Amino acid sequence: MGKAVEVEIANKIAVFLKMIRTNNPFQEEFFQAVKEVITSVMPFALENSKYVKYKVLERMVEPDRIVIFRVSWQDDNGEVQVNRAWRVQFNNSIGPYKGGMRFHPSVNLSILKFLGFEQCFKNSLTGLPLGGAKGGSNFDPKHRSDAEVMRFCHALMIELHRHIGENTDVPAGDIGVGGREIGYMFGQYKRIVNKFTGTITGKGVDFGGSLIRKEATGYGAVYFAENVLNFRGDSLKGKTIVVSGSGNVAIYVTEKALNLGAQVLTLSDSSGYIYDREGFNEEKIAAVKEIKEIKRARIGEYVKIYPKAEFHPNKRPWEVAADIAIPSATQNELDEEDAKKLIANGVQLVCEAANMPVTLGAIELFNTAKVIFNPGKAANAGGVAVSGFEQSQNSLRMTWSAEEVEDRLKNIMKDIHDTCVKFGYNKKKSDIVNYVDGANIGGFVKIANAMTTYGVV
Ligand code: NDP
């Protein structure tokens, strides 16, 4: 590519991003997600006149619709509580909307738009017919009783049910929304519409849920990392890993990493991180599950059970030396300062199991240092893939075995890896795969082709 063409593309990206800023004020997370995608996709899209003519990129950054609603409910003291909830239906060009619900006090429109936008590319990468969406509320389940969580979920569904359906929009879990919340939401949905359908995924296995759904995002991310290493003639065996978070994703990242012969040294939550030099074995992972999922307590409790481990309050685990980092908690939890520490300690691979946990500045530092970087939209797509399997099983009225689901998951993660290589490996430019370009372009193509086929809609 000549210098003049490079300058022209850079100008087009700058104009596009200026438009995003103007049209979406105060939406930093959304801007960050769009910037990453547009930087990869614009050069590719400009080479194809139909994408330009049909203004595919301009349409893709505008959600199909956003529903915003009030959720009123009563707490255990009889006091009325009011929360806000959203459903961002981003793009259904290749299938019904699909994406999780997040309950966390930090939830706002910018965060849900970034997640919904990312979800479109991720879902496309799975190869399944799934559109992209995301939703959630600023409700915080952490300090609430089971009865309060139930009343909130039931109240939320009184409005949400109008906008979802097995062929329209299929919500699932995310931060703050696990089996308990899904159960309450699905129970209320089923009661209102008087139908038992696969409209929500992540259900309990006794009532329509898929085996391996709970494990899928974490397992999938580790399979993705294994594919990345295999592509370079290496493997996870014997590697050390730093993981953040101790929720659904982090726990199953740890379990599968152990299974493939690696050693996870850290886990965390919003109160700090734990460092276990000996690594987490099955018994220790069970203890973390008990602390976080059953007792719903803080991660520091771990050192009361395993006093040789350390608890570092209010700190993030990126200061611990390891071969691989797998951020698995939340967006922007690994910044430039953290990246410098990881690079200085010789990290080789950073694999996003959470959504956008690494800042753009940190990604740049990893690229410069030739540390392989895997974006979440590729690496954590295993969760939504198995949600897609759950929808299929519900439609077929069948239950696949755990082995069958895991085999399918493994194959999808391999296919996503191959897609990233296809669109992100340019030997003339670099001897390492650019997984960001690969995932963005690989996810874009299917949606863009569908959108141009539909005409101007
Ligand atoms: P969980 O709610 O199960 O766990 C989230 C974990 O992250 C907890 O340990 C939580 O700590 C920590 N955390 C949340 N917010 C913050 C914060 N602001 N600062 C520090 N730590 C924080 O969520 P999941 O494990 O399901 O999700 C984790 C990530 O993976 C998210 O980015 C999600 O979008 C992404 N993801 C999840 C999928 C799934 O299938 N669940 C699918 C694809 C992506 P604490 O307990 O203190 O709040």
Side-chain angles (χ1 to χ4, degrees), residues 64-65 87 89-92 95-99 129-133 160-171 189 198-199 391:
D64 291 349
R65 75 184 60 76
R87 187 73 185 162
Q89 295 179 331
F90 225 106
N91 191 306
N92 69 352
Y97 302 109
K98 176 100 196 83
L130 303 170
L160 187 64
H161 86 275
R162 299 178 218 283
H163 311 286
I164 61 176
E166 80 256 51
N167 295 315
T168 314
D169 182 355
V170 182
Y189 178 78
T199 298
Q391 288 176 254

Side-chain angles (χ1 to χ4, degrees), residues 102 104 106 115 122 134 142 173-177 213-214 217 245-250 268-271 292 297-298 328-331 333 353-356 380-381 383-384:
R102 177 177 290 193
H104 194 272
S106 65
L115 289 164
K122 181 188 312 194
K134 199 80 188 186
K142 214 179 279 162
D174 191 73
I175 291 178
V177 179
R213 172 58 192 94
K214 205 160 53 125
T217 307
S246 50
N248 180 255
V249 175
S268 71
D269 67 14
S270 48
S271 69
K292 294 297 296 184
R298 307 280 73 207
S328 311
T330 192
Q331 66 275 354
E333 53 158 320
N355 282 313
M356 208 169 75
N380 71 29
V384 74

